[in-house]
Amino acid sequence: MDDRRWSDVDAYVTQALGLDDAELDRALMAAQQAQLPPIAVTAPQGKLLQLIARIHGSRRILELGTLGGYSTIFLARALPADGQLVSLELRADCAQTARASIQAAGLADRVQVRVGPALESLQALEAEGVEPFDLVFIDADKPSTPQYFEHALRLSRPGAVIIADNVVRGGELGDPDTADPGARGMRRFHELLAAEPRVDATTIQTVGAKGYDGFTIALIGG
Ligand code: SAH
Ligand code: DHB
Ligand code: MG
């Protein structure tokens, strides 16, 4: 499902509001040159993540799924100078490209990219007893989102925000019989959200340059 106007409006908003800049464009070009898939958030979505982090006053951010570091740069720019962002990425080539772009954006001092399956990195973070996170952005392999959410809960402080990307999947989320493993994972994720008394959440459908999709935002109570 797609509509030319969705992309045109994203392009207009990005230009009219000045949502991208040389470092963000450079990160996208580096990802393209490294032949990474073109699945980063759009600039309007990246700016939304950044605004949520700023509104929330997030000082410690956890990201699952770095790709070329595009969403990472938006989020890291919301951090204070002593803030930290940890981003988990399966692929060494993605992590390498992302690190270079993060460095070029002047954010290397507050961003750490960890390579490996996110489930293993999450377990390692728990074992290390890291300081809890204020904001978690889940954007890795979609079928694993329910497990990532459970780890994110354990690694979050009361008052933390958890955002998950790509939850609507062209509308597959609404089909109880969907065979799409990603959509099935996202339905399970919604069941977990509903069953968790500490969590208040909603899901918003979106259209744009990446088609018809959506995101979930959850607030973790005390
Ligand atoms: N957040 C990025 C896009 C991430 S795309 C942005 O918007 O700019 C999803 C990423 O998740 C890909 O880079 C992919 O390699 C990574 N990924 C897939 N499976 C993973 C896993 N098991 N653990 C960690 N990362 C994984
Ligand atoms: C895919 C991953 C994403 O994070 C996204 O925003 C769109 C697509 C994917 O794995 O296909
Ligand atoms: Mg995504």
Side-chain angles (χ1 to χ4, degrees), residues 147-201:
Q147 287 135 283
Y148 295 153
F149 170 67
E150 290 185 319
H151 283 276
L153 263 184
R154 290 203 286 277
L155 285 163
S156 292
R157 69 159 170 86
V161 170
I162 299 178
I163 302 167
D165 195 22
N166 312 115
V167 300
V168 175
R169 310 277 303 188
E172 286 295 309
L173 182 69
D175 179 0
D177 302 317
T178 181
D180 178 335
R184 293 175 69 91
M186 293 308 180
R187 290 180 65 90
R188 177 77 194 127
F189 170 49
H190 280 72
E191 289 166 18
L192 294 180
L193 288 167
E196 176 53 66
R198 282 177 295 165
V199 168
D200 222 8

Side-chain angles (χ1 to χ4, degrees), residues 195-209:
E196 176 53 66
R198 282 177 295 165
V199 168
D200 222 8
T202 191
T203 294
I204 293 297
Q205 306 183 69
T206 58
V207 295

Side-chain angles (χ1 to χ4, degrees), residues 42-215:
T42 61
Q45 290 169 340
K47 182 55 96 170
L48 176 65
L49 293 171
Q50 184 181 94
L51 286 170
I52 291 169
R54 286 185 59 200
I55 291 164
H56 185 242
S58 304
R59 305 180 68 85
R60 290 182 52 75
I61 298 175
L62 175 64
E63 177 177 67
L64 283 63
T66 318
L67 192 65
Y70 192 69
S71 56
T72 318
I73 291 171
F74 272 107
L75 281 166
R77 284 178 173 172
L79 289 171
D82 63 344
Q84 203 197 10
L85 188 156
V86 178
S87 189
L88 312 182
E89 173 54 51
L90 177 65
R91 286 170 51 172
D93 61 333
C94 291
Q96 191 182 6
T97 302
R99 284 187 191 119
S101 295
I102 290 159
Q103 167 100 41
L107 296 162
D109 61 333
R110 61 201 84 167
V111 178
Q112 179 187 61
V113 181
R114 290 197 180 206
V115 181
L119 277 179
E120 288 179 16
S121 299
L122 289 162
Q123 275 157 10
L125 286 168
E126 282 171 54
E128 288 164 28
V130 290
E131 248 184 86
F133 292 94
D134 305 309
L135 188 151
V136 184
F137 178 46
I138 304 177
D139 194 23
D141 51 311
K142 308 309 163 185
S144 302
T145 300
Q147 287 135 283
Y148 295 153
F149 170 67
E150 290 185 319
H151 283 276
L153 263 184
R154 290 203 286 277
L155 285 163
S156 292
R157 69 159 170 86
V161 170
I162 299 178
I163 302 167
D165 195 22
N166 312 115
V167 300
V168 175
R169 310 277 303 188
E172 286 295 309
L173 182 69
D175 179 0
D177 302 317
T178 181
D180 178 335
R184 293 175 69 91
M186 293 308 180
R187 290 180 65 90
R188 177 77 194 127
F189 170 49
H190 280 72
E191 289 166 18
L192 294 180
L193 288 167
E196 176 53 66
R198 282 177 295 165
V199 168
D200 222 8
T202 191
T203 294
I204 293 297
Q205 306 183 69
T206 58
V207 295
K210 291 180 72 184
Y212 169 35
D213 211 323
F215 61 92

